[in-house]
């Protein structure tokens, strides 16, 4: 009987230790992903991205898309590093994969290259389309400051060698739906 109790306690302690290490690794990797994004270090961004994303959009194409989105004829965007204030959801095991929904604060500066005609209308558009919590416009700089809570989806599986990798969650879950099946979507509440 003592052996069974000792075995049970040892098993529970090792499970707790593995879970704690997994959670610590998740937090560390999420911060790495956040910092890569705010610095626009494409190699670091790609290193923290769930690899199946590149089956849909090759790295070079994604890099070109980022560059075009961040600076074009109409505007430039700068991501500003702030305290991310991460909120980690429950780590869910679905099949042979682990998932975690993670929210964090985001701030970006969007500077227009021609004078803004209707800043109020653009403010409303940003609030609605991006679920932005706060949008302000600096007329002198012709620049919007947009603050919002973003969600990333952490995935750990055989493909990632059981390391946490991430993909951004958009409103319609378009990229997520191209990679994962309906069962995963349902179990994550997406």
């Amino acid at each position: 009987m003592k052996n069974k109790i000792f075995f049970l306690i040892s098993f529970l302690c090792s499970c707790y230790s593995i879970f704690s290490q997994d959670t610590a690794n998740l937090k560390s990797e999420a911060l790495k992903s956040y910092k890569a994004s705010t610095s626009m270090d494409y190699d670091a961004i790609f290193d923290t991205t769930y690899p199946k994303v590149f089956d849909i959009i090759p790295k070079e194409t994604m890099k070109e898309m980022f560059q075009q989105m961040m600076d074009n004829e109409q505007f430039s965007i700068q991501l500003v590093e702030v305290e991310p204030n991460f909120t980690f959801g429950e780590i869910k095991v679905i099949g042979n994969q682990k998932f975690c929904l993670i929210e964090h604060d985001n701030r970006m500066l969007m500077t227009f290259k021609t004078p803004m005609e209707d800043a109020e209308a653009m403010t409303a558009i940003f609030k609605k389309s991006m679920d932005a919590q706060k949008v302000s416009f600096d007329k002198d700089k012709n620049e919007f400051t947009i603050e919002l809570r973003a969600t990333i989806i952490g995935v750990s599986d055989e493909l990632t060698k059981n390391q946490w990798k991430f993909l951004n969650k958009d409103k319609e879950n378009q990229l997520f739906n191209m990679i994962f099946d309906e069962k995963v979507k349902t179990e994550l509440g997406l």
Side-chain angles (χ1 to χ4, degrees), residues 49-51 155-166:
T49 299
Y50 187 65
V155 184
S156 171
D157 60 16
E158 188 176 283
L159 183 63
T160 68
K161 298 180 178 129
N162 297 313
Q163 297 298 309
W164 287 101
K165 301 295 180 181
F166 305 92

Side-chain angles (χ1 to χ4, degrees), residues 32-172:
K32 188 188 300 181
S33 177
Y34 173 78
K35 287 186 175 281
S37 294
T38 58
S39 68
M40 289 309 296
D41 178 342
Y42 297 116
D43 292 331
I45 291 170
F46 297 156
D47 187 49
T48 64
T49 299
Y50 187 65
K52 279 199 174 186
V53 168
F54 304 118
D55 292 345
I56 298 165
I57 307 168
K59 287 181 183 179
E60 262 320 298
T61 303
M62 186 176 282
K63 185 176 182 178
E64 290 170 13
M65 289 170 51
F66 277 151
Q67 290 170 333
Q68 177 63 24
M69 179 180 66
M70 300 307 282
D71 193 11
N72 55 59
E73 304 101 34
Q74 298 170 332
F75 57 81
S76 64
I77 297 174
Q78 177 188 355
L79 299 176
V80 179
E81 187 173 331
V82 296
E83 179 59 44
N85 297 312
F86 288 113
T87 303
F88 293 87
E90 173 187 352
I91 295 175
K92 294 189 177 188
V93 178
I94 304 169
N96 294 328
Q97 298 174 300
K98 293 179 191 173
F99 295 89
C100 185
L101 298 177
I102 305 155
E103 292 185 354
H104 64 85
D105 289 340
N106 241 359
R107 179 181 299 153
M108 67 180 76
L109 303 176
M110 187 172 195
T111 307
F112 281 81
K113 297 182 178 177
T114 59
M116 180 53 53
E117 298 289 322
D118 191 354
E120 285 184 35
M122 286 301 290
T123 298
I125 289 169
F126 290 141
K127 283 185 177 181
K128 183 173 181 162
S129 67
M130 301 170 84
D131 287 331
Q133 297 165 323
K134 183 178 175 187
V135 179
S136 59
F137 180 68
D138 182 329
K139 188 174 183 174
D140 294 336
K141 294 181 180 178
N142 204 36
E143 179 178 85
F144 288 91
T145 301
I146 304 166
E147 297 179 28
L148 54 97
R149 285 293 277 173
T151 302
I152 57 175
I153 303 166
V155 184
S156 171
D157 60 16
E158 188 176 283
L159 183 63
T160 68
K161 298 180 178 129
N162 297 313
Q163 297 298 309
W164 287 101
K165 301 295 180 181
F166 305 92
L167 62 142
N168 289 321
K169 180 192 176 312
D170 61 72
K171 271 186 168 183
E172 290 80 31

Side-chain angles (χ1 to χ4, degrees), residues 166-183:
F166 305 92
L167 62 142
N168 289 321
K169 180 192 176 312
D170 61 72
K171 271 186 168 183
E172 290 80 31
N173 298 316
Q174 291 176 344
L175 191 56
F176 181 86
N177 291 337
M178 289 185 217
I179 298 172
F180 299 102
D181 62 27
E182 198 62 35
K183 177 185 180 199

